[in-house]
mmCIF file of all heavy atoms in Angstrom:
data_model
loop_
_atom_site.group_PDB
_atom_site.id
_atom_site.type_symbol
_atom_site.label_atom_id
_atom_site.label_comp_id
_atom_site.label_asym_id
_atom_site.label_seq_id
_atom_site.Cartn_x
_atom_site.Cartn_y
_atom_site.Cartn_z
ATOM 1 N N ALA A 361 93.546 94.915 94.748
ATOM 2 C CA ALA A 361 94.279 93.690 95.092
ATOM 3 C C ALA A 361 94.992 93.795 96.425
ATOM 4 O O ALA A 361 96.060 93.193 96.628
ATOM 5 C CB ALA A 361 95.285 93.346 93.982
ATOM 6 N N ILE A 381 91.263 90.276 88.207
ATOM 7 C CA ILE A 381 91.584 91.146 89.345
ATOM 8 C C ILE A 381 92.277 92.402 88.808
ATOM 9 O O ILE A 381 93.178 92.319 87.976
ATOM 10 C CB ILE A 381 92.428 90.419 90.394
ATOM 11 C CG1 ILE A 381 92.684 91.324 91.622
ATOM 12 C CG2 ILE A 381 93.722 89.859 89.827
ATOM 13 C CD1 ILE A 381 93.193 90.564 92.851
ATOM 14 N N LEU A 382 91.813 93.560 89.272
ATOM 15 C CA LEU A 382 92.288 94.852 88.786
ATOM 16 C C LEU A 382 92.939 95.621 89.925
ATOM 17 O O LEU A 382 92.466 95.619 91.062
ATOM 18 C CB LEU A 382 91.134 95.690 88.217
ATOM 19 C CG LEU A 382 90.485 95.274 86.906
ATOM 20 C CD1 LEU A 382 89.684 93.990 87.043
ATOM 21 C CD2 LEU A 382 89.564 96.395 86.378
ATOM 22 N N ASP A 383 94.017 96.345 89.599
ATOM 23 C CA ASP A 383 94.659 97.232 90.555
ATOM 24 C C ASP A 383 95.527 98.210 89.777
ATOM 25 O O ASP A 383 95.846 97.983 88.607
ATOM 26 C CB ASP A 383 95.512 96.440 91.548
ATOM 27 C CG ASP A 383 95.732 97.184 92.882
ATOM 28 O OD1 ASP A 383 96.555 98.108 92.897
ATOM 29 O OD2 ASP A 383 95.063 96.848 93.850
ATOM 30 N N ASN A 385 98.497 98.975 91.061
ATOM 31 C CA ASN A 385 99.848 98.612 91.500
ATOM 32 C C ASN A 385 100.215 97.245 90.914
ATOM 33 O O ASN A 385 99.727 96.213 91.401
ATOM 34 C CB ASN A 385 99.885 98.569 93.026
ATOM 35 C CG ASN A 385 101.296 98.304 93.553
ATOM 36 O OD1 ASN A 385 102.183 97.877 92.821
ATOM 37 N ND2 ASN A 385 101.494 98.560 94.844
ATOM 38 N N PRO A 386 101.079 97.202 89.899
ATOM 39 C CA PRO A 386 101.440 95.928 89.286
ATOM 40 C C PRO A 386 102.041 94.932 90.275
ATOM 41 O O PRO A 386 101.885 93.716 90.091
ATOM 42 C CB PRO A 386 102.460 96.329 88.215
ATOM 43 C CG PRO A 386 102.167 97.767 87.885
ATOM 44 C CD PRO A 386 101.698 98.353 89.200
ATOM 45 N N GLN A 387 102.704 95.405 91.311
ATOM 46 C CA GLN A 387 103.305 94.498 92.281
ATOM 47 C C GLN A 387 102.235 93.685 93.016
ATOM 48 O O GLN A 387 102.466 92.515 93.384
ATOM 49 C CB GLN A 387 104.155 95.271 93.281
ATOM 50 C CG GLN A 387 105.441 95.850 92.672
ATOM 51 C CD GLN A 387 106.312 96.537 93.708
ATOM 52 O OE1 GLN A 387 105.801 97.054 94.712
ATOM 53 N NE2 GLN A 387 107.606 96.560 93.460
ATOM 54 N N LYS A 388 101.082 94.273 93.258
ATOM 55 C CA LYS A 388 100.004 93.551 93.913
ATOM 56 C C LYS A 388 99.372 92.514 92.990
ATOM 57 O O LYS A 388 98.830 91.504 93.429
ATOM 58 C CB LYS A 388 98.942 94.517 94.432
ATOM 59 C CG LYS A 388 99.406 95.374 95.602
ATOM 60 C CD LYS A 388 98.297 96.259 96.123
ATOM 61 C CE LYS A 388 98.761 97.067 97.333
ATOM 62 N NZ LYS A 388 97.667 97.939 97.856
ATOM 63 N N LEU A 389 99.450 92.754 91.708
ATOM 64 C CA LEU A 389 98.894 91.828 90.722
ATOM 65 C C LEU A 389 99.821 90.669 90.419
ATOM 66 O O LEU A 389 99.384 89.608 89.989
ATOM 67 C CB LEU A 389 98.576 92.563 89.419
ATOM 68 C CG LEU A 389 97.510 93.671 89.492
ATOM 69 C CD1 LEU A 389 97.405 94.391 88.156
ATOM 70 C CD2 LEU A 389 96.145 93.095 89.868
ATOM 71 N N GLN A 390 101.116 90.892 90.632
ATOM 72 C CA GLN A 390 102.137 89.919 90.210
ATOM 73 C C GLN A 390 101.893 88.506 90.738
ATOM 74 O O GLN A 390 101.987 87.544 89.968
ATOM 75 C CB GLN A 390 103.527 90.411 90.674
ATOM 76 C CG GLN A 390 104.684 89.570 90.136
ATOM 77 C CD GLN A 390 104.827 89.659 88.624
ATOM 78 O OE1 GLN A 390 104.586 90.709 88.058
ATOM 79 N NE2 GLN A 390 105.234 88.558 87.995
ATOM 80 N N PRO A 391 101.553 88.295 92.026
ATOM 81 C CA PRO A 391 101.352 86.909 92.516
ATOM 82 C C PRO A 391 100.265 86.165 91.750
ATOM 83 O O PRO A 391 100.343 84.952 91.592
ATOM 84 C CB PRO A 391 100.969 87.106 93.991
ATOM 85 C CG PRO A 391 101.543 88.433 94.359
ATOM 86 C CD PRO A 391 101.421 89.283 93.129
ATOM 87 N N PHE A 392 99.255 86.896 91.282
ATOM 88 C CA PHE A 392 98.168 86.233 90.560
ATOM 89 C C PHE A 392 98.574 85.914 89.127
ATOM 90 O O PHE A 392 98.135 84.910 88.562
ATOM 91 C CB PHE A 392 96.920 87.120 90.591
ATOM 92 C CG PHE A 392 96.324 87.230 91.961
ATOM 93 C CD1 PHE A 392 96.653 88.319 92.778
ATOM 94 C CD2 PHE A 392 95.479 86.269 92.464
ATOM 95 C CE1 PHE A 392 96.134 88.407 94.038
ATOM 96 C CE2 PHE A 392 94.956 86.355 93.740
ATOM 97 C CZ PHE A 392 95.277 87.436 94.548
ATOM 98 N N ALA A 393 99.442 86.735 88.542
ATOM 99 C CA ALA A 393 99.927 86.456 87.205
ATOM 100 C C ALA A 393 100.841 85.247 87.188
ATOM 101 O O ALA A 393 100.984 84.575 86.154
ATOM 102 C CB ALA A 393 100.657 87.683 86.663
ATOM 103 N N GLU A 394 101.463 84.930 88.315
ATOM 104 C CA GLU A 394 102.407 83.823 88.397
ATOM 105 C C GLU A 394 101.745 82.501 88.720
ATOM 106 O O GLU A 394 102.405 81.438 88.734
ATOM 107 C CB GLU A 394 103.465 84.130 89.469
ATOM 108 C CG GLU A 394 104.375 85.308 89.108
ATOM 109 C CD GLU A 394 105.276 85.729 90.228
ATOM 110 O OE1 GLU A 394 105.091 85.234 91.355
ATOM 111 O OE2 GLU A 394 106.183 86.561 89.998
ATOM 112 N N THR A 401 94.966 89.322 85.128
ATOM 113 C CA THR A 401 95.331 90.512 85.905
ATOM 114 C C THR A 401 95.290 91.721 84.967
ATOM 115 O O THR A 401 95.797 91.653 83.829
ATOM 116 C CB THR A 401 96.735 90.387 86.518
ATOM 117 O OG1 THR A 401 97.690 90.118 85.483
ATOM 118 C CG2 THR A 401 96.765 89.259 87.538
ATOM 119 N N LEU A 402 94.752 92.816 85.451
ATOM 120 C CA LEU A 402 94.574 93.998 84.599
ATOM 121 C C LEU A 402 94.910 95.254 85.365
ATOM 122 O O LEU A 402 94.557 95.386 86.546
ATOM 123 C CB LEU A 402 93.118 94.084 84.111
ATOM 124 C CG LEU A 402 92.643 92.956 83.197
ATOM 125 C CD1 LEU A 402 91.124 92.969 83.102
ATOM 126 C CD2 LEU A 402 93.265 93.097 81.819
ATOM 127 N N PHE A 403 95.580 96.174 84.694
ATOM 128 C CA PHE A 403 95.800 97.511 85.281
ATOM 129 C C PHE A 403 94.466 98.221 85.271
ATOM 130 O O PHE A 403 93.777 98.268 84.273
ATOM 131 C CB PHE A 403 96.840 98.284 84.469
ATOM 132 C CG PHE A 403 97.268 99.550 85.118
ATOM 133 C CD1 PHE A 403 98.226 99.547 86.137
ATOM 134 C CD2 PHE A 403 96.704 100.775 84.748
ATOM 135 C CE1 PHE A 403 98.623 100.723 86.753
ATOM 136 C CE2 PHE A 403 97.084 101.954 85.358
ATOM 137 C CZ PHE A 403 98.043 101.922 86.361
#
Side-chain angles (χ1 to χ4, degrees):
I381 184 165
L382 289 70
D383 204 283
N385 184 345
Q387 290 183 332
K388 291 184 178 180
L389 296 174
Q390 188 65 36
F392 293 95
E394 294 172 350
T401 57
L402 296 165
F403 189 81

